[in-house]
Amino acid sequence: MLSKLKFFIFTDFLCILLLTGCLNVNFFNSADSKNEENDFSGVLEYNENELSFVKQSISYVDSDAIIYNPDMGFYSAETVKIAANGSISNLSDVNDEINYKSDKVYSYKSSTHFNLVHLKVDISAFSGRVNGTDKDVENLNLSNLKSILQNARENNKTIIIRFAYDKDYNENLVSYKENGKSYKACEPISFDILLKHISDICLFVEQYTDVITAVECGMVGPWGEMHSTYYATADKDGVELGYIIAIMKQFLDGLSNCKVPLLVRQPQFIYRYLDSGYVKDTVPAKIDLTPDSVFYRLGLYNDGYLGSGTDLGTFKVKNKRKEEIEYLKAFTDHTPYGGELCYDSGSGGLWRSSYLQNTVQEMYDVHLSFLNIAWNNHVLAWADSENGYYKYDYVDDNDVPKSIEISENNLVKNENGKDEKFFQYLIKHMGYRYIVTDSQIGNNDEKSYAGFKLAFKNNGFANIPYHRQKVMTLIFVPQNGGAKSELKTNCVFDGSVKSFAVSTESLSEGKYNVYLKISDENGNYPIELANKGMWDKNLKANKIGIFTK
């Protein structure tokens, strides 16, 4: 009877481990097997009640510190132009930006460097519409882009990437006529060539899924923002937005072997893609998405963010902003969302004081992950100004002196009840911001096992992008000196409660500082938690307590 009871206790605990995403890497090794160096795992056939857990004496409140983690925050925007032979003229400039260490800034500067880079790739040389050749170049030569992505990987920086045919990303469209109608465009004359280019892009992206935060669908229109061009305005096969739908499908099919998010410029593109019978100027019924759905990878980038009630045309359904955002939650709760914060000299700018608290709440609703540090400088300078006052004097194109003056409250209360500038709140809360709210470490009488109970809270606007599988590694550092020991727990970090145990038989007696490293499988792209005094920059891990053997 006793052996049966022990079996049921063990199998119940195993089920818990599986459900929480935690299973020791060597769970089924024999108890007397020899462990390799830095691997002290063993059989976990034990009763959790045999462990005495102690709540650890660490800070459980948000430190208010500025933290830069992968796939989130302010980004620096860089444009690279690829010639038909694949050469990139400004390759060194972009790599210089990536080589910059992230600045721990406390005030707004448009030249600040962060962990995230927005890479805009000019492929206008491959468009017959732009370069005037009779035949478009069929294959994209992206070989020289590899050095940029490899450099980002080495510097633990992540990349949002967009491809477009707009020459110099400067609204350079070519006027022409199609079926008797006048249009402007910059894309290849052959749509099949455009689709072939997307296939080339997808093959490239698949090599750098650890580096790429998201692919912005782009391709067509000025700045690659999917509007004001033939392929964004003309019907295809009688279907409104048919060309856009075909572009999205080509990307999703091409990226089917990886999980990189695909972000599009307007919610209506998602509506139309999911429902060919979609009625214009309506908000569809909410959708339930599962991770195994191809649509799970769809998201939004917003380069008109908070510039007006419609985000300068991003939201197309009149007076239904809240409804559209509610619909989008099914997509943005796991994909990165962001773009460019826009200035509007009229009363429509939603970031203004009368809207500021609602703006912050909406950032949680849309799960804001990233913004351009250089755009818009007026909004961001005001957001960081003293007493909410900002003035900018300039001369317009007609040599007429003008000024921009903003006098608005720019204070927001943080989770600790303190007022701070809107800019400070943004820099701390964009993306995810996890803290440990409970850390318990247990030991058995024989001191052969260590049990862990960890709980987390996310104070950030967004979650970790769904395609990031962050493993949890324990690092035991002897307090009296000596070599550290590491063990991957096989727990995937997702911010939920984690309960697991490891064998400590190979550890010598003594006290150990225990650290939790949250990173990719290879140790790259570690995540810093926001608790005060937890982060060790050398270990790139967070202290979660003390273990005594």
Side-chain angles (χ1 to χ4, degrees), residues 25-80:
V25 68
N26 290 318
F27 192 94
F28 294 107
N29 284 354
S30 62
D32 58 352
S33 64
K34 297 296 184 182
N35 294 305
E36 296 180 359
E37 184 177 357
N38 284 345
D39 185 355
F40 42 93
S41 55
V43 177
L44 298 186
E45 189 173 350
Y46 71 96
N47 185 344
E48 184 179 347
N49 294 328
E50 294 176 353
L51 292 172
S52 298
F53 282 90
V54 176
K55 188 178 181 71
Q56 299 300 298
S57 297
I58 60 175
S59 172
Y60 291 105
V61 297
D62 195 305
S63 66
D64 277 346
I66 294 172
I67 296 172
Y68 301 152
N69 277 319
D71 303 305
M72 49 160 275
F74 280 111
Y75 66 70
S76 303
E78 294 292 328
T79 302
V80 293

Short mmCIF file of all heavy atoms in Angstrom, two decimals, residues 25-80:
data_model
loop_
_atom_site.label_atom_id
_atom_site.label_comp_id
_atom_site.label_asym_id
_atom_site.label_seq_id
_atom_site.Cartn_x
_atom_site.Cartn_y
_atom_site.Cartn_z
N VAL A 25 16.16 17.81 -17.15
CA VAL A 25 16.74 17.30 -18.39
C VAL A 25 17.18 15.85 -18.28
O VAL A 25 17.19 15.12 -19.27
CB VAL A 25 17.92 18.20 -18.82
CG1 VAL A 25 19.08 18.09 -17.86
CG2 VAL A 25 18.35 17.87 -20.24
N ASN A 26 17.54 15.40 -17.08
CA ASN A 26 17.96 14.00 -16.90
C ASN A 26 17.05 13.29 -15.92
O ASN A 26 17.50 12.54 -15.05
CB ASN A 26 19.42 13.94 -16.41
CG ASN A 26 20.39 14.37 -17.49
OD1 ASN A 26 20.21 14.00 -18.64
ND2 ASN A 26 21.37 15.18 -17.12
N PHE A 27 15.78 13.50 -16.03
CA PHE A 27 14.82 13.02 -15.06
C PHE A 27 14.89 11.52 -14.86
O PHE A 27 14.74 11.00 -13.76
CB PHE A 27 13.42 13.42 -15.54
CG PHE A 27 12.36 13.24 -14.49
CD1 PHE A 27 11.99 14.30 -13.67
CD2 PHE A 27 11.73 12.03 -14.32
CE1 PHE A 27 11.01 14.14 -12.71
CE2 PHE A 27 10.75 11.87 -13.36
CZ PHE A 27 10.38 12.92 -12.56
N PHE A 28 15.13 10.78 -15.92
CA PHE A 28 15.08 9.33 -15.82
C PHE A 28 16.46 8.67 -15.76
O PHE A 28 16.62 7.49 -16.02
CB PHE A 28 14.28 8.76 -17.00
CG PHE A 28 12.84 9.16 -16.96
CD1 PHE A 28 12.34 10.10 -17.84
CD2 PHE A 28 11.98 8.64 -16.01
CE1 PHE A 28 11.02 10.50 -17.81
CE2 PHE A 28 10.65 9.03 -15.97
CZ PHE A 28 10.17 9.96 -16.87
N ASN A 29 17.50 9.45 -15.41
CA ASN A 29 18.80 8.84 -15.16
C ASN A 29 18.74 7.99 -13.90
O ASN A 29 17.98 8.25 -12.99
CB ASN A 29 19.88 9.93 -14.97
CG ASN A 29 20.28 10.56 -16.29
OD1 ASN A 29 19.85 10.13 -17.34
ND2 ASN A 29 21.10 11.61 -16.22
N SER A 30 19.61 6.96 -13.81
CA SER A 30 19.65 6.16 -12.59
C SER A 30 20.25 6.98 -11.47
O SER A 30 21.06 7.87 -11.69
CB SER A 30 20.50 4.90 -12.83
OG SER A 30 21.82 5.25 -13.14
N ALA A 31 19.88 6.64 -10.22
CA ALA A 31 20.27 7.45 -9.07
C ALA A 31 21.78 7.45 -8.86
O ALA A 31 22.34 8.41 -8.34
CB ALA A 31 19.58 6.95 -7.81
N ASP A 32 22.45 6.38 -9.26
CA ASP A 32 23.88 6.31 -9.00
C ASP A 32 24.71 6.62 -10.24
O ASP A 32 25.88 6.30 -10.30
CB ASP A 32 24.25 4.92 -8.47
CG ASP A 32 23.87 3.81 -9.44
OD1 ASP A 32 23.18 4.12 -10.45
OD2 ASP A 32 24.24 2.66 -9.18
N SER A 33 24.05 7.20 -11.27
CA SER A 33 24.80 7.54 -12.48
C SER A 33 25.75 8.69 -12.20
O SER A 33 25.52 9.52 -11.35
CB SER A 33 23.84 7.94 -13.62
OG SER A 33 23.14 9.11 -13.28
N LYS A 34 26.86 8.74 -12.95
CA LYS A 34 27.85 9.80 -12.79
C LYS A 34 27.39 11.03 -13.58
O LYS A 34 27.12 10.94 -14.77
CB LYS A 34 29.22 9.33 -13.32
CG LYS A 34 29.78 8.15 -12.53
CD LYS A 34 30.07 8.53 -11.07
CE LYS A 34 30.71 7.40 -10.32
NZ LYS A 34 30.95 7.72 -8.91
N ASN A 35 27.31 12.16 -12.90
CA ASN A 35 26.91 13.39 -13.56
C ASN A 35 28.12 14.07 -14.19
O ASN A 35 29.21 14.06 -13.64
CB ASN A 35 26.27 14.36 -12.55
CG ASN A 35 24.98 13.82 -12.00
OD1 ASN A 35 24.08 13.49 -12.77
ND2 ASN A 35 24.89 13.72 -10.68
N GLU A 36 27.87 14.66 -15.36
CA GLU A 36 28.93 15.39 -16.03
C GLU A 36 29.19 16.69 -15.28
O GLU A 36 28.37 17.14 -14.48
CB GLU A 36 28.52 15.68 -17.47
CG GLU A 36 28.37 14.42 -18.31
CD GLU A 36 27.96 14.75 -19.73
OE1 GLU A 36 27.80 15.93 -20.04
OE2 GLU A 36 27.84 13.80 -20.52
N GLU A 37 30.33 17.30 -15.56
CA GLU A 37 30.68 18.55 -14.90
C GLU A 37 29.60 19.60 -15.15
O GLU A 37 29.09 19.73 -16.26
CB GLU A 37 32.02 19.05 -15.45
CG GLU A 37 32.54 20.32 -14.75
CD GLU A 37 33.89 20.74 -15.27
OE1 GLU A 37 34.43 20.02 -16.13
OE2 GLU A 37 34.39 21.77 -14.81
N ASN A 38 29.25 20.34 -14.12
CA ASN A 38 28.23 21.38 -14.19
C ASN A 38 26.84 20.81 -14.48
O ASN A 38 25.97 21.51 -14.97
CB ASN A 38 28.57 22.44 -15.24
CG ASN A 38 29.64 23.38 -14.75
OD1 ASN A 38 29.94 23.41 -13.56
ND2 ASN A 38 30.24 24.14 -15.65
N ASP A 39 26.63 19.54 -14.21
CA ASP A 39 25.30 18.96 -14.38
C ASP A 39 25.04 18.06 -13.18
O ASP A 39 25.59 16.97 -13.07
CB ASP A 39 25.24 18.15 -15.68
CG ASP A 39 23.83 17.63 -15.95
OD1 ASP A 39 22.96 17.83 -15.07
OD2 ASP A 39 23.61 17.06 -17.02
N PHE A 40 24.21 18.50 -12.25
CA PHE A 40 23.98 17.73 -11.03
C PHE A 40 22.52 17.29 -10.97
O PHE A 40 21.88 17.30 -9.94
CB PHE A 40 24.36 18.55 -9.80
CG PHE A 40 23.93 19.97 -9.84
CD1 PHE A 40 22.73 20.38 -9.31
CD2 PHE A 40 24.73 20.92 -10.46
CE1 PHE A 40 22.34 21.70 -9.36
CE2 PHE A 40 24.33 22.25 -10.52
CZ PHE A 40 23.14 22.64 -9.96
N SER A 41 21.97 16.91 -12.12
CA SER A 41 20.59 16.46 -12.16
C SER A 41 20.52 14.98 -11.78
O SER A 41 21.50 14.26 -11.84
CB SER A 41 20.02 16.66 -13.56
OG SER A 41 20.84 16.02 -14.51
N GLY A 42 19.36 14.53 -11.38
CA GLY A 42 19.19 13.13 -11.01
C GLY A 42 17.73 12.76 -10.98
O GLY A 42 16.87 13.52 -11.37
N VAL A 43 17.42 11.56 -10.51
CA VAL A 43 16.06 11.09 -10.45
C VAL A 43 15.27 11.90 -9.43
O VAL A 43 15.73 12.15 -8.32
CB VAL A 43 16.02 9.59 -10.08
CG1 VAL A 43 14.58 9.11 -9.95
CG2 VAL A 43 16.75 8.78 -11.13
N LEU A 44 14.06 12.35 -9.80
CA LEU A 44 13.24 13.18 -8.92
C LEU A 44 12.09 12.37 -8.32
O LEU A 44 10.97 12.83 -8.24
CB LEU A 44 12.70 14.40 -9.68
CG LEU A 44 13.75 15.36 -10.23
CD1 LEU A 44 13.08 16.58 -10.83
CD2 LEU A 44 14.72 15.77 -9.16
N GLU A 45 12.39 11.12 -7.93
CA GLU A 45 11.36 10.28 -7.35
C GLU A 45 11.27 10.56 -5.85
O GLU A 45 11.89 9.92 -5.02
CB GLU A 45 11.67 8.81 -7.58
CG GLU A 45 10.53 7.89 -7.21
CD GLU A 45 10.81 6.47 -7.62
OE1 GLU A 45 11.80 6.24 -8.35
OE2 GLU A 45 10.04 5.59 -7.21
N TYR A 46 10.49 11.61 -5.52
CA TYR A 46 10.41 12.04 -4.13
C TYR A 46 9.07 12.71 -3.90
O TYR A 46 8.34 13.07 -4.82
CB TYR A 46 11.54 13.02 -3.80
CG TYR A 46 11.37 14.37 -4.45
CD1 TYR A 46 10.78 15.42 -3.76
CD2 TYR A 46 11.77 14.59 -5.76
CE1 TYR A 46 10.59 16.64 -4.36
CE2 TYR A 46 11.59 15.81 -6.37
CZ TYR A 46 11.01 16.84 -5.67
OH TYR A 46 10.82 18.05 -6.27
N ASN A 47 8.76 12.87 -2.62
CA ASN A 47 7.53 13.53 -2.21
C ASN A 47 7.84 14.99 -1.91
O ASN A 47 8.73 15.29 -1.11
CB ASN A 47 6.97 12.83 -0.97
CG ASN A 47 5.62 13.38 -0.56
OD1 ASN A 47 5.20 14.46 -1.00
ND2 ASN A 47 4.93 12.65 0.31
N GLU A 48 7.10 15.90 -2.53
CA GLU A 48 7.35 17.32 -2.31
C GLU A 48 7.22 17.69 -0.83
O GLU A 48 7.88 18.61 -0.35
CB GLU A 48 6.38 18.15 -3.14
CG GLU A 48 6.63 19.66 -3.05
CD GLU A 48 5.67 20.46 -3.90
OE1 GLU A 48 4.97 19.86 -4.75
OE2 GLU A 48 5.60 21.68 -3.70
N ASN A 49 6.37 16.96 -0.12
CA ASN A 49 6.18 17.25 1.31
C ASN A 49 7.42 16.95 2.15
O ASN A 49 7.51 17.35 3.31
CB ASN A 49 4.99 16.46 1.86
CG ASN A 49 3.67 16.92 1.25
OD1 ASN A 49 3.52 18.10 0.92
ND2 ASN A 49 2.74 15.99 1.07
N GLU A 50 8.37 16.19 1.56
CA GLU A 50 9.61 15.91 2.26
C GLU A 50 10.56 17.10 2.27
O GLU A 50 11.57 17.10 2.97
CB GLU A 50 10.30 14.71 1.63
CG GLU A 50 9.53 13.39 1.79
CD GLU A 50 10.22 12.25 1.06
OE1 GLU A 50 11.20 12.53 0.34
OE2 GLU A 50 9.79 11.10 1.21
N LEU A 51 10.25 18.11 1.48
CA LEU A 51 11.10 19.29 1.38
C LEU A 51 10.63 20.38 2.33
O LEU A 51 9.43 20.62 2.46
CB LEU A 51 11.10 19.84 -0.05
CG LEU A 51 11.78 18.97 -1.12
CD1 LEU A 51 11.52 19.54 -2.49
CD2 LEU A 51 13.27 18.87 -0.86
N SER A 52 11.56 21.06 2.95
CA SER A 52 11.25 22.20 3.80
C SER A 52 11.56 23.47 3.00
O SER A 52 12.72 23.77 2.71
CB SER A 52 12.11 22.18 5.08
OG SER A 52 11.83 21.02 5.84
N PHE A 53 10.50 24.20 2.62
CA PHE A 53 10.66 25.38 1.78
C PHE A 53 10.83 26.63 2.65
O PHE A 53 10.17 26.79 3.68
CB PHE A 53 9.46 25.56 0.86
CG PHE A 53 9.47 24.65 -0.33
CD1 PHE A 53 8.87 23.40 -0.28
CD2 PHE A 53 10.12 25.03 -1.50
CE1 PHE A 53 8.90 22.55 -1.38
CE2 PHE A 53 10.15 24.20 -2.60
CZ PHE A 53 9.53 22.95 -2.54
N VAL A 54 11.69 27.53 2.19
CA VAL A 54 11.94 28.80 2.87
C VAL A 54 11.74 29.93 1.88
O VAL A 54 12.35 29.91 0.79
CB VAL A 54 13.36 28.86 3.46
CG1 VAL A 54 13.62 30.23 4.09
CG2 VAL A 54 13.56 27.75 4.47
N LYS A 55 10.90 30.90 2.23
CA LYS A 55 10.74 32.08 1.39
C LYS A 55 12.01 32.90 1.45
O LYS A 55 12.51 33.20 2.52
CB LYS A 55 9.54 32.92 1.84
CG LYS A 55 9.18 34.07 0.90
CD LYS A 55 7.96 34.81 1.41
CE LYS A 55 7.56 35.94 0.48
NZ LYS A 55 7.00 35.45 -0.78
N GLN A 56 12.53 33.26 0.30
CA GLN A 56 13.83 33.90 0.23
C GLN A 56 13.77 35.40 0.53
O GLN A 56 12.78 36.07 0.20
CB GLN A 56 14.45 33.67 -1.15
CG GLN A 56 14.67 32.21 -1.48
CD GLN A 56 15.60 31.54 -0.49
OE1 GLN A 56 16.76 31.90 -0.36
NE2 GLN A 56 15.08 30.54 0.24
N SER A 57 14.83 35.89 1.15
CA SER A 57 14.90 37.31 1.53
C SER A 57 15.48 38.13 0.39
O SER A 57 16.65 38.51 0.38
CB SER A 57 15.76 37.47 2.78
OG SER A 57 15.18 36.80 3.88
N ILE A 58 14.63 38.36 -0.62
CA ILE A 58 15.00 39.23 -1.74
C ILE A 58 13.91 40.28 -1.89
O ILE A 58 12.85 40.19 -1.28
CB ILE A 58 15.15 38.43 -3.06
CG1 ILE A 58 13.82 37.72 -3.40
CG2 ILE A 58 16.27 37.41 -2.96
CD1 ILE A 58 13.84 37.01 -4.74
N SER A 59 14.18 41.30 -2.67
CA SER A 59 13.18 42.35 -2.90
C SER A 59 12.10 41.83 -3.83
O SER A 59 12.39 41.29 -4.90
CB SER A 59 13.85 43.58 -3.51
OG SER A 59 12.87 44.52 -3.90
N TYR A 60 10.85 42.02 -3.43
CA TYR A 60 9.74 41.55 -4.26
C TYR A 60 8.96 42.71 -4.89
O TYR A 60 7.84 42.52 -5.36
CB TYR A 60 8.80 40.69 -3.41
CG TYR A 60 9.40 39.36 -3.01
CD1 TYR A 60 9.84 39.14 -1.71
CD2 TYR A 60 9.55 38.34 -3.94
CE1 TYR A 60 10.41 37.93 -1.34
CE2 TYR A 60 10.11 37.11 -3.57
CZ TYR A 60 10.54 36.92 -2.28
OH TYR A 60 11.10 35.71 -1.93
N VAL A 61 9.53 43.90 -4.89
CA VAL A 61 8.87 45.06 -5.50
C VAL A 61 9.65 45.50 -6.73
O VAL A 61 10.84 45.22 -6.88
CB VAL A 61 8.74 46.23 -4.50
CG1 VAL A 61 7.88 45.84 -3.33
CG2 VAL A 61 10.11 46.69 -4.03
N ASP A 62 8.97 46.22 -7.60
CA ASP A 62 9.59 46.74 -8.81
C ASP A 62 10.62 47.80 -8.43
O ASP A 62 10.34 48.71 -7.65
CB ASP A 62 8.53 47.34 -9.72
CG ASP A 62 9.02 47.57 -11.13
OD1 ASP A 62 10.05 48.26 -11.29
OD2 ASP A 62 8.39 47.09 -12.09
N SER A 63 11.80 47.71 -9.00
CA SER A 63 12.90 48.60 -8.65
C SER A 63 12.78 49.99 -9.26
O SER A 63 13.52 50.89 -8.88
CB SER A 63 14.22 47.98 -9.11
OG SER A 63 14.25 47.91 -10.54
N ASP A 64 11.88 50.17 -10.22
CA ASP A 64 11.76 51.42 -10.98
C ASP A 64 12.96 51.65 -11.90
O ASP A 64 13.05 52.71 -12.52
CB ASP A 64 11.60 52.64 -10.07
CG ASP A 64 10.17 52.85 -9.62
OD1 ASP A 64 9.28 52.23 -10.22
OD2 ASP A 64 9.95 53.62 -8.68
N ALA A 65 13.84 50.69 -12.02
CA ALA A 65 15.04 50.87 -12.84
C ALA A 65 14.70 50.73 -14.32
O ALA A 65 13.73 50.05 -14.70
CB ALA A 65 16.10 49.84 -12.46
N ILE A 66 15.49 51.39 -15.16
CA ILE A 66 15.36 51.22 -16.61
C ILE A 66 16.07 49.94 -17.01
O ILE A 66 17.24 49.74 -16.68
CB ILE A 66 15.97 52.43 -17.34
CG1 ILE A 66 15.15 53.69 -17.05
CG2 ILE A 66 16.01 52.17 -18.85
CD1 ILE A 66 15.78 54.96 -17.59
N ILE A 67 15.35 49.07 -17.69
CA ILE A 67 15.88 47.76 -18.07
C ILE A 67 15.69 47.56 -19.56
O ILE A 67 14.60 47.81 -20.09
CB ILE A 67 15.17 46.63 -17.30
CG1 ILE A 67 15.44 46.76 -15.80
CG2 ILE A 67 15.62 45.26 -17.80
CD1 ILE A 67 14.62 45.81 -14.96
N TYR A 68 16.73 47.12 -20.23
CA TYR A 68 16.63 46.82 -21.66
C TYR A 68 16.72 45.31 -21.84
O TYR A 68 17.74 44.70 -21.53
CB TYR A 68 17.75 47.50 -22.44
CG TYR A 68 17.79 49.00 -22.33
CD1 TYR A 68 18.97 49.70 -22.46
CD2 TYR A 68 16.62 49.73 -22.10
CE1 TYR A 68 19.01 51.09 -22.38
CE2 TYR A 68 16.64 51.11 -22.00
CZ TYR A 68 17.85 51.79 -22.14
OH TYR A 68 17.87 53.15 -22.04
N ASN A 69 15.68 44.73 -22.36
CA ASN A 69 15.65 43.31 -22.64
C ASN A 69 15.43 43.08 -24.13
O ASN A 69 15.05 44.01 -24.85
CB ASN A 69 14.55 42.63 -21.83
CG ASN A 69 14.98 42.30 -20.41
OD1 ASN A 69 16.10 41.86 -20.19
ND2 ASN A 69 14.11 42.53 -19.44
N PRO A 70 15.63 41.89 -24.63
CA PRO A 70 15.46 41.62 -26.06
C PRO A 70 14.03 41.85 -26.55
O PRO A 70 13.07 41.69 -25.80
CB PRO A 70 15.83 40.13 -26.19
CG PRO A 70 16.64 39.82 -24.98
CD PRO A 70 16.12 40.71 -23.90
N ASP A 71 13.91 42.27 -27.80
CA ASP A 71 12.62 42.33 -28.51
C ASP A 71 11.68 43.41 -27.99
O ASP A 71 10.46 43.30 -28.15
CB ASP A 71 11.88 40.99 -28.44
CG ASP A 71 12.70 39.84 -29.01
OD1 ASP A 71 13.13 39.96 -30.17
OD2 ASP A 71 12.91 38.84 -28.32
N MET A 72 12.19 44.47 -27.38
CA MET A 72 11.29 45.45 -26.77
C MET A 72 11.99 46.79 -26.57
O MET A 72 13.21 46.88 -26.64
CB MET A 72 10.81 44.95 -25.42
CG MET A 72 11.91 44.46 -24.52
SD MET A 72 11.48 44.41 -22.77
CE MET A 72 11.84 46.09 -22.31
N GLY A 73 11.17 47.83 -26.33
CA GLY A 73 11.69 49.14 -25.96
C GLY A 73 11.81 50.09 -27.13
O GLY A 73 11.27 49.88 -28.21
N PHE A 74 12.52 51.19 -26.91
CA PHE A 74 12.81 52.12 -27.99
C PHE A 74 13.78 51.48 -28.97
O PHE A 74 14.64 50.68 -28.58
CB PHE A 74 13.41 53.42 -27.45
CG PHE A 74 12.39 54.37 -26.88
CD1 PHE A 74 12.35 54.62 -25.52
CD2 PHE A 74 11.48 55.02 -27.71
CE1 PHE A 74 11.42 55.49 -24.99
CE2 PHE A 74 10.55 55.89 -27.19
CZ PHE A 74 10.50 56.14 -25.83
N TYR A 75 13.64 51.83 -30.24
CA TYR A 75 14.58 51.32 -31.24
C TYR A 75 15.23 52.47 -32.01
O TYR A 75 14.69 53.56 -32.11
CB TYR A 75 13.91 50.35 -32.21
CG TYR A 75 12.84 50.92 -33.11
CD1 TYR A 75 13.15 51.79 -34.16
CD2 TYR A 75 11.50 50.55 -32.97
CE1 TYR A 75 12.18 52.28 -35.02
CE2 TYR A 75 10.52 51.04 -33.82
CZ TYR A 75 10.86 51.91 -34.84
OH TYR A 75 9.89 52.41 -35.68
N SER A 76 16.42 52.18 -32.54
CA SER A 76 17.09 53.06 -33.48
C SER A 76 16.74 52.58 -34.88
O SER A 76 16.81 51.38 -35.15
CB SER A 76 18.60 53.03 -33.27
OG SER A 76 18.94 53.37 -31.95
N ALA A 77 16.37 53.52 -35.76
CA ALA A 77 15.99 53.15 -37.12
C ALA A 77 17.18 53.32 -38.07
O ALA A 77 17.83 54.36 -38.07
CB ALA A 77 14.82 54.01 -37.59
N GLU A 78 17.44 52.29 -38.86
CA GLU A 78 18.54 52.31 -39.82
C GLU A 78 18.04 51.84 -41.18
O GLU A 78 17.27 50.87 -41.26
CB GLU A 78 19.68 51.40 -39.34
CG GLU A 78 20.38 51.86 -38.07
CD GLU A 78 21.17 53.14 -38.28
OE1 GLU A 78 21.69 53.36 -39.40
OE2 GLU A 78 21.29 53.92 -37.32
N THR A 79 18.48 52.52 -42.23
CA THR A 79 18.10 52.13 -43.59
C THR A 79 19.31 51.64 -44.35
O THR A 79 20.38 52.27 -44.31
CB THR A 79 17.49 53.32 -44.36
OG1 THR A 79 16.36 53.82 -43.65
CG2 THR A 79 17.04 52.91 -45.75
N VAL A 80 19.17 50.50 -44.99
CA VAL A 80 20.24 49.99 -45.85
C VAL A 80 19.70 49.87 -47.27
O VAL A 80 18.54 49.49 -47.47
CB VAL A 80 20.77 48.62 -45.37
CG1 VAL A 80 21.48 48.77 -44.05
CG2 VAL A 80 19.67 47.60 -45.28
#
